[in-house]
Amino acid sequence: MNKSNKVTVHDVARVAGVSKSTVSLVLRQSDKASDKAKQKVAAAIEQTGYVYNREAASMRSKSSNLIAIVINDLTNPYSAKLAVALEKQVRKLGFMSMMVNSGECVKTQSDLVAELSQYKIRAFIVVPAPNTKSNWLDALENDQTQVICMMRQVEKSTVPCVLPSNKQGTYLAAKQLLSRGITRLAFIGGDSSISDYHQRLAGFQTALNEANQASNNIFNSTTNRFGGRSAMADCLTTMPNIEGVVCFNDIVAYGVIEQLNVAGLRPGQHIGVIGFDDLDDSELMQVPLSTVRIDADAVAKSVCEILQNGSDGQFLEVPVELIVRDS
Protein backbone atom coordinates (compact mmCIF):
# COMPACT_ATOMS: atom_id res chain seq x y z
CA MET A 1 0.00 0.00 0.00
CA ASN A 2 1.32 3.47 -0.86
CA LYS A 3 2.00 5.53 2.22
CA SER A 4 -0.15 8.64 2.26
CA ASN A 5 -1.72 11.03 4.73
CA LYS A 6 -5.06 10.00 3.15
CA VAL A 7 -4.82 6.61 4.82
CA THR A 8 -7.80 6.17 7.17
CA VAL A 9 -8.67 4.13 10.24
CA HIS A 10 -10.60 1.84 7.88
CA ASP A 11 -7.37 1.04 6.03
CA VAL A 12 -5.55 0.29 9.28
CA ALA A 13 -8.41 -1.94 10.47
CA ARG A 14 -8.49 -3.85 7.19
CA VAL A 15 -4.75 -4.47 7.16
CA ALA A 16 -4.72 -5.40 10.86
CA GLY A 17 -7.72 -7.70 10.52
CA VAL A 18 -9.61 -6.02 13.38
CA SER A 19 -12.59 -3.70 13.65
CA LYS A 20 -12.39 0.07 13.36
CA SER A 21 -13.47 0.41 16.98
CA THR A 22 -10.53 -1.77 18.07
CA VAL A 23 -8.13 0.46 16.13
CA SER A 24 -9.63 3.49 17.90
CA LEU A 25 -9.07 1.87 21.31
CA VAL A 26 -5.43 1.19 20.47
CA LEU A 27 -4.89 4.74 19.18
CA ARG A 28 -6.36 6.12 22.41
CA GLN A 29 -4.01 3.83 24.37
CA SER A 30 -6.96 2.23 26.12
CA ASP A 31 -6.35 -0.62 28.57
CA LYS A 32 -9.41 -2.30 27.03
CA ALA A 33 -7.42 -3.18 23.88
CA SER A 34 -5.67 -6.55 24.11
CA ASP A 35 -1.92 -6.90 23.63
CA LYS A 36 -2.55 -8.95 20.49
CA ALA A 37 -4.75 -6.18 19.04
CA LYS A 38 -2.11 -3.57 19.87
CA GLN A 39 0.54 -5.56 18.03
CA LYS A 40 -1.68 -6.02 14.96
CA VAL A 41 -2.61 -2.33 14.83
CA ALA A 42 0.99 -1.18 15.34
CA ALA A 43 2.12 -3.36 12.43
CA ALA A 44 -0.70 -2.09 10.23
CA ILE A 45 0.12 1.56 11.04
CA GLU A 46 3.75 0.91 10.08
CA GLN A 47 2.65 -0.74 6.83
CA THR A 48 0.10 1.90 5.80
CA GLY A 49 1.85 5.01 7.08
CA TYR A 50 -1.26 6.13 8.95
CA VAL A 51 -0.87 9.39 10.94
CA TYR A 52 -3.04 9.81 14.04
CA ASN A 53 -4.31 13.35 14.69
CA ARG A 54 -4.85 13.42 18.46
CA GLU A 55 -6.26 16.93 18.50
CA ALA A 56 -8.92 16.09 15.91
CA ALA A 57 -9.70 12.85 17.73
CA SER A 58 -10.18 14.75 20.99
CA MET A 59 -12.68 17.06 19.32
CA ARG A 60 -14.54 14.10 17.80
CA SER A 61 -14.82 12.37 21.16
CA LYS A 62 -16.91 15.30 22.37
CA SER A 63 -19.20 15.23 19.34
CA SER A 64 -22.22 13.26 20.53
CA ASN A 65 -23.75 10.79 22.97
CA LEU A 66 -26.58 9.85 20.57
CA ILE A 67 -26.98 6.20 19.57
CA ALA A 68 -29.20 5.39 16.58
CA ILE A 69 -30.94 2.00 16.85
CA VAL A 70 -32.31 0.73 13.52
CA ILE A 71 -34.71 -2.19 14.11
CA ASN A 72 -35.91 -4.38 11.26
CA ASP A 73 -39.51 -4.91 12.41
CA LEU A 74 -40.93 -3.41 15.58
CA THR A 75 -44.25 -5.19 14.98
CA ASN A 76 -42.46 -8.47 15.77
CA PRO A 77 -42.77 -9.10 19.52
CA TYR A 78 -39.19 -10.33 19.88
CA SER A 79 -37.81 -7.30 18.02
CA ALA A 80 -39.76 -5.03 20.35
CA LYS A 81 -38.46 -6.93 23.39
CA LEU A 82 -34.90 -6.63 22.09
CA ALA A 83 -35.34 -2.91 21.38
CA VAL A 84 -36.47 -2.27 24.97
CA ALA A 85 -33.54 -4.24 26.39
CA LEU A 86 -31.08 -2.42 24.14
CA GLU A 87 -32.41 1.04 24.99
CA LYS A 88 -32.07 0.20 28.69
CA GLN A 89 -28.46 -0.94 28.33
CA VAL A 90 -27.53 2.06 26.16
CA ARG A 91 -28.97 4.38 28.81
CA LYS A 92 -26.88 2.67 31.51
CA LEU A 93 -23.78 3.69 29.57
CA GLY A 94 -24.88 7.31 29.76
CA PHE A 95 -25.95 7.57 26.11
CA MET A 96 -29.23 8.69 24.59
CA SER A 97 -30.88 6.48 21.96
CA MET A 98 -33.03 7.23 18.94
CA MET A 99 -34.98 4.25 17.58
CA VAL A 100 -36.38 3.80 14.06
CA ASN A 101 -38.13 0.93 12.28
CA SER A 102 -37.13 -0.17 8.76
CA GLY A 103 -40.12 -2.49 8.36
CA GLU A 104 -37.88 -5.10 6.69
CA CYS A 105 -37.42 -2.71 3.74
CA VAL A 106 -33.83 -2.04 2.64
CA LYS A 107 -34.80 1.27 0.98
CA THR A 108 -36.59 2.51 4.09
CA GLN A 109 -33.54 1.48 6.10
CA SER A 110 -31.25 3.45 3.78
CA ASP A 111 -33.49 6.52 3.83
CA LEU A 112 -33.76 6.50 7.63
CA VAL A 113 -30.02 6.18 8.09
CA ALA A 114 -29.39 8.98 5.59
CA GLU A 115 -31.64 11.28 7.63
CA LEU A 116 -30.03 10.25 10.91
CA SER A 117 -26.54 10.79 9.48
CA GLN A 118 -27.25 14.52 9.36
CA TYR A 119 -26.99 14.49 13.15
CA LYS A 120 -23.88 13.78 15.21
CA ILE A 121 -24.49 10.07 15.69
CA ARG A 122 -21.97 8.34 17.91
CA ALA A 123 -23.00 4.88 16.79
CA PHE A 124 -25.48 3.01 14.62
CA ILE A 125 -26.80 -0.28 16.00
CA VAL A 126 -28.53 -2.06 13.13
CA VAL A 127 -30.65 -5.18 12.69
CA PRO A 128 -30.20 -5.34 8.90
CA ALA A 129 -33.20 -5.54 6.58
CA PRO A 130 -33.14 -8.34 3.96
CA ASN A 131 -30.74 -7.67 1.05
CA THR A 132 -28.62 -5.15 2.99
CA LYS A 133 -25.30 -4.73 1.15
CA SER A 134 -21.97 -4.92 2.94
CA ASN A 135 -20.52 -1.85 1.21
CA TRP A 136 -23.47 0.27 2.38
CA LEU A 137 -23.13 -0.96 5.96
CA ASP A 138 -19.35 -0.58 6.08
CA ALA A 139 -19.55 2.96 4.67
CA LEU A 140 -21.57 4.08 7.70
CA GLU A 141 -18.52 3.62 9.91
CA ASN A 142 -16.03 6.47 10.05
CA ASP A 143 -13.75 8.23 12.53
CA GLN A 144 -16.78 9.74 14.27
CA THR A 145 -19.34 6.94 14.04
CA GLN A 146 -19.22 3.35 15.26
CA VAL A 147 -21.42 0.67 13.63
CA ILE A 148 -22.57 -2.61 15.19
CA CYS A 149 -24.86 -5.25 13.64
CA MET A 150 -27.01 -7.54 15.73
CA MET A 151 -29.21 -10.60 15.17
CA ARG A 152 -28.32 -10.82 11.46
CA GLN A 153 -25.03 -11.10 9.63
CA VAL A 154 -24.35 -9.19 6.40
CA GLU A 155 -22.02 -11.26 4.23
CA LYS A 156 -18.57 -9.70 3.67
CA SER A 157 -19.26 -6.80 6.04
CA THR A 158 -16.39 -5.85 8.36
CA VAL A 159 -18.43 -4.26 11.15
CA PRO A 160 -18.74 -6.09 14.51
CA CYS A 161 -21.82 -8.29 14.78
CA VAL A 162 -23.67 -9.89 17.72
CA LEU A 163 -25.64 -13.03 16.86
CA PRO A 164 -27.57 -15.63 18.84
CA SER A 165 -26.32 -19.20 18.38
CA ASN A 166 -28.91 -19.86 15.68
CA LYS A 167 -27.42 -23.08 14.36
CA GLN A 168 -27.01 -24.55 17.84
CA GLY A 169 -30.62 -23.68 18.71
CA THR A 170 -32.26 -25.54 15.85
CA TYR A 171 -29.75 -28.37 16.21
CA LEU A 172 -30.89 -28.87 19.82
CA ALA A 173 -34.54 -28.60 18.78
CA ALA A 174 -34.25 -31.26 16.09
CA LYS A 175 -32.19 -33.52 18.38
CA GLN A 176 -34.88 -33.27 21.06
CA LEU A 177 -37.57 -34.44 18.64
CA LEU A 178 -35.34 -37.22 17.33
CA SER A 179 -34.67 -38.39 20.90
CA ARG A 180 -38.42 -39.00 21.25
CA GLY A 181 -38.39 -41.33 18.26
CA ILE A 182 -39.81 -38.68 15.92
CA THR A 183 -38.02 -39.11 12.59
CA ARG A 184 -40.30 -37.61 9.94
CA LEU A 185 -39.39 -33.95 10.48
CA ALA A 186 -39.79 -30.70 8.55
CA PHE A 187 -38.41 -27.18 8.86
CA ILE A 188 -41.15 -24.55 8.60
CA GLY A 189 -40.86 -20.85 7.73
CA GLY A 190 -38.12 -18.33 7.06
CA ASP A 191 -36.86 -15.96 4.38
CA SER A 192 -33.78 -17.12 2.46
CA SER A 193 -32.57 -13.51 2.05
CA ILE A 194 -31.60 -13.24 5.74
CA SER A 195 -28.65 -14.88 7.48
CA ASP A 196 -30.51 -16.28 10.48
CA TYR A 197 -32.67 -18.40 8.15
CA HIS A 198 -29.62 -20.15 6.72
CA GLN A 199 -28.05 -20.60 10.16
CA ARG A 200 -31.22 -22.06 11.68
CA LEU A 201 -31.82 -24.32 8.71
CA ALA A 202 -28.21 -25.53 8.91
CA GLY A 203 -28.65 -26.57 12.56
CA PHE A 204 -31.79 -28.54 11.68
CA GLN A 205 -30.10 -30.26 8.75
CA THR A 206 -26.99 -31.09 10.77
CA ALA A 207 -29.04 -32.91 13.42
CA LEU A 208 -30.94 -34.92 10.80
CA ASN A 209 -27.79 -35.78 8.87
CA GLU A 210 -26.18 -37.09 12.06
CA ALA A 211 -29.22 -39.32 12.57
CA ASN A 212 -29.12 -40.48 8.91
CA GLN A 213 -32.54 -38.96 8.30
CA ALA A 214 -33.71 -37.05 5.23
CA SER A 215 -33.17 -33.31 5.72
CA ASN A 216 -34.77 -31.83 2.59
CA ASN A 217 -38.27 -31.35 4.00
CA ILE A 218 -38.20 -27.55 3.98
CA PHE A 219 -41.23 -25.28 3.67
CA ASN A 220 -40.34 -21.59 3.32
CA SER A 221 -42.79 -18.84 4.21
CA THR A 222 -43.05 -15.29 5.45
CA THR A 223 -42.03 -15.07 9.10
CA ASN A 224 -45.50 -14.43 10.50
CA ARG A 225 -48.60 -16.40 11.55
CA PHE A 226 -50.05 -16.43 8.04
CA GLY A 227 -46.79 -17.81 6.71
CA GLY A 228 -46.82 -20.52 9.36
CA ARG A 229 -50.40 -21.53 8.52
CA SER A 230 -49.69 -21.61 4.78
CA ALA A 231 -46.44 -23.56 5.09
CA MET A 232 -48.00 -26.07 7.49
CA ALA A 233 -50.88 -26.64 5.07
CA ASP A 234 -48.35 -27.37 2.32
CA CYS A 235 -46.43 -29.65 4.66
CA LEU A 236 -49.52 -31.69 5.57
CA THR A 237 -50.34 -32.10 1.89
CA THR A 238 -46.79 -33.08 0.92
CA MET A 239 -46.03 -35.12 4.06
CA PRO A 240 -49.29 -36.54 5.42
CA ASN A 241 -47.25 -38.72 7.81
CA ILE A 242 -45.32 -35.76 9.31
CA GLU A 243 -44.41 -36.30 12.97
CA GLY A 244 -42.63 -33.09 14.01
CA VAL A 245 -41.68 -29.60 12.86
CA VAL A 246 -38.99 -27.12 13.83
CA CYS A 247 -40.18 -23.58 13.13
CA PHE A 248 -38.09 -20.57 12.14
CA ASN A 249 -39.55 -18.56 15.04
CA ASP A 250 -42.39 -18.60 17.57
CA ILE A 251 -44.68 -16.45 15.41
CA VAL A 252 -44.43 -19.00 12.60
CA ALA A 253 -45.07 -21.75 15.18
CA TYR A 254 -48.29 -20.00 16.26
CA GLY A 255 -49.53 -20.18 12.66
CA VAL A 256 -48.44 -23.82 12.45
CA ILE A 257 -50.47 -24.67 15.55
CA GLU A 258 -53.52 -22.84 14.16
CA GLN A 259 -53.31 -24.93 10.98
CA LEU A 260 -52.90 -28.14 12.99
CA ASN A 261 -56.07 -27.25 14.90
CA VAL A 262 -57.93 -26.84 11.59
CA ALA A 263 -56.71 -30.29 10.59
CA GLY A 264 -57.83 -31.79 13.92
CA LEU A 265 -54.27 -32.42 15.09
CA ARG A 266 -52.93 -31.57 18.55
CA PRO A 267 -49.36 -30.26 19.05
CA GLY A 268 -47.31 -32.56 21.27
CA GLN A 269 -49.77 -35.40 20.82
CA HIS A 270 -50.01 -35.91 17.05
CA ILE A 271 -47.15 -33.67 15.87
CA GLY A 272 -44.25 -32.22 17.85
CA VAL A 273 -43.73 -28.46 17.37
CA ILE A 274 -40.74 -26.37 18.44
CA GLY A 275 -40.36 -22.61 17.86
CA PHE A 276 -37.51 -20.13 18.27
CA ASP A 277 -37.34 -16.90 20.38
CA ASP A 278 -39.40 -17.84 23.47
CA LEU A 279 -41.92 -15.02 23.29
CA ASP A 280 -43.90 -14.31 26.45
CA ASP A 281 -47.09 -15.82 24.97
CA SER A 282 -45.42 -19.13 24.11
CA GLU A 283 -45.59 -20.46 27.66
CA LEU A 284 -49.23 -19.37 27.97
CA MET A 285 -50.66 -21.17 24.95
CA GLN A 286 -53.30 -23.88 25.38
CA VAL A 287 -50.50 -26.32 24.60
CA PRO A 288 -47.38 -24.50 25.89
CA LEU A 289 -44.89 -24.15 23.05
CA SER A 290 -41.45 -25.72 23.22
CA THR A 291 -38.95 -23.21 21.88
CA VAL A 292 -35.38 -21.95 21.75
CA ARG A 293 -34.83 -19.01 24.11
CA ILE A 294 -32.72 -16.02 23.08
CA ASP A 295 -31.98 -13.83 26.09
CA ALA A 296 -32.68 -10.30 24.82
CA ASP A 297 -30.83 -8.77 27.78
CA ALA A 298 -27.74 -10.86 26.99
CA VAL A 299 -27.82 -9.72 23.35
CA ALA A 300 -28.21 -6.08 24.42
CA LYS A 301 -25.37 -6.33 26.94
CA SER A 302 -23.06 -7.88 24.33
CA VAL A 303 -23.85 -5.08 21.87
CA CYS A 304 -23.16 -2.45 24.51
CA GLU A 305 -19.90 -4.15 25.49
CA ILE A 306 -18.70 -3.63 21.91
CA LEU A 307 -20.12 -0.11 21.95
CA GLN A 308 -18.07 0.73 25.02
CA ASN A 309 -14.94 -1.37 24.54
CA GLY A 310 -14.67 -2.19 20.85
CA SER A 311 -14.16 -5.70 19.52
CA ASP A 312 -11.06 -7.67 18.59
CA GLY A 313 -13.22 -10.13 16.67
CA GLN A 314 -15.86 -9.53 14.04
CA PHE A 315 -18.57 -11.76 15.49
CA LEU A 316 -19.85 -12.51 18.97
CA GLU A 317 -22.32 -15.35 19.53
CA VAL A 318 -24.77 -15.26 22.42
CA PRO A 319 -25.72 -18.73 23.77
CA VAL A 320 -29.32 -19.96 23.42
CA GLU A 321 -31.32 -22.46 25.48
CA LEU A 322 -33.84 -25.12 24.45
CA ILE A 323 -37.03 -24.82 26.52
CA VAL A 324 -39.03 -28.06 26.43
CA ARG A 325 -42.77 -27.72 27.07
CA ASP A 326 -45.86 -29.74 26.14
CA SER A 327 -45.82 -29.14 22.37
Side-chain angles (χ1 to χ4, degrees):
M1 181 180 294
N2 293 327
K3 293 187 178 183
S4 166
N5 287 337
K6 294 182 180 179
V7 174
T8 68
V9 171
H10 283 289
D11 298 316
V12 176
R14 177 171 51 79
V15 172
V18 300
S19 69
K20 174 258 177 186
S21 57
T22 296
V23 174
S24 297
L25 286 175
V26 174
L27 292 174
R28 297 198 304 269
Q29 300 179 347
S30 171
D31 293 337
K32 295 171 182 175
S34 68
D35 290 340
K36 184 177 180 181
K38 291 174 182 177
Q39 293 171 3
K40 288 182 176 181
V41 171
I45 288 173
E46 176 66 24
Q47 181 178 339
T48 60
Y50 176 74
V51 177
Y52 181 45
N53 187 330
R54 293 187 181 278
E55 182 178 356
S58 177
M59 292 180 65
R60 285 194 296 269
S61 69
K62 301 174 183 176
S63 61
S64 174
N65 71 339
L66 184 61
I67 309 298
I69 302 172
V70 184
I71 298 293
N72 60 309
D73 182 11
L74 280 172
T75 66
N76 181 298
Y78 185 79
S79 294
K81 184 176 183 178
L82 179 61
V84 170
L86 187 56
E87 190 278 334
K88 179 181 178 181
Q89 294 300 324
V90 166
R91 191 161 17 95
K92 283 184 177 180
L93 293 180
F95 299 128
M96 292 293 294
S97 61
M98 177 184 298
M99 196 169 301
V100 293
N101 175 36
S102 72
E104 297 283 34
C105 174
V106 71
K107 183 180 184 306
T108 299
Q109 175 181 265
S110 179
D111 291 345
L112 289 169
V113 168
E115 287 291 328
L116 289 168
S117 295
Q118 298 179 38
Y119 301 89
K120 291 183 177 180
I121 302 295
R122 185 190 186 281
F124 283 101
I125 300 173
V126 184
V127 182
N131 301 310
T132 296
K133 303 299 183 185
S134 61
N135 57 353
W136 174 84
L137 187 65
D138 293 350
L140 295 180
E141 192 173 41
N142 55 50
D143 288 352
Q144 296 184 35
T145 307
Q146 189 177 2
V147 181
I148 305 169
C149 268
M150 64 177 180
M151 301 306 293
R152 292 175 179 172
Q153 177 182 351
V154 176
E155 187 177 4
K156 298 182 180 179
S157 174
T158 60
V159 305
C161 185
V162 176
L163 300 170
S165 297
N166 289 306
K167 184 176 179 179
Q168 180 68 5
T170 47
Y171 175 83
L172 293 174
K175 290 283 283 186
Q176 202 280 333
L177 291 170
L178 289 165
S179 72
R180 292 163 50 189
I182 296 173
T183 58
R184 291 187 288 271
L185 298 176
F187 186 85
I188 301 287
D191 183 337
S192 62
S193 66
I194 52 180
S195 65
D196 45 354
Y197 166 80
H198 296 284
Q199 293 158 357
R200 294 179 188 184
L201 177 59
F204 172 81
Q205 291 177 321
T206 298
L208 266 66
N209 289 340
E210 288 180 358
N212 295 316
Q213 299 295 329
S215 61
N216 60 347
N217 302 316
I218 302 161
F219 298 86
N220 290 356
S221 74
T222 53
T223 55
N224 53 32
R225 293 174 87 113
F226 175 80
R229 290 197 302 271
S230 176
M232 192 66 234
D234 291 343
C235 178
L236 289 171
T237 299
T238 305
M239 300 177 63
N241 59 350
I242 183 72
E243 296 177 320
V245 296
V246 175
C247 301
F248 173 78
N249 63 16
D250 281 9
I251 297 294
V252 167
Y254 297 167
V256 164
I257 289 172
E258 290 169 0
Q259 190 61 38
L260 291 179
N261 289 334
V262 170
L265 300 171
R266 183 176 175 84
Q269 180 179 345
H270 301 108
I271 294 178
V273 180
I274 300 181
F276 206 115
D277 288 343
D278 193 26
L279 301 179
D280 292 342
D281 286 346
S282 296
E283 187 177 8
L284 305 176
M285 299 183 69
Q286 184 175 9
V287 178
L289 178 67
S290 296
T291 185
V292 177
R293 174 178 293 162
I294 310 174
D295 187 332
D297 287 328
V299 173
K301 288 177 181 177
S302 295
V303 169
C304 286
E305 181 179 344
I306 294 175
L307 181 64
Q308 186 176 33
N309 301 329
S311 171
D312 287 345
Q314 188 175 354
F315 302 112
L316 177 62
E317 274 199 336
V318 175
V320 297
E321 179 185 5
L322 178 64
I323 306 299
V324 179
R325 300 189 179 112
D326 293 347
S327 71

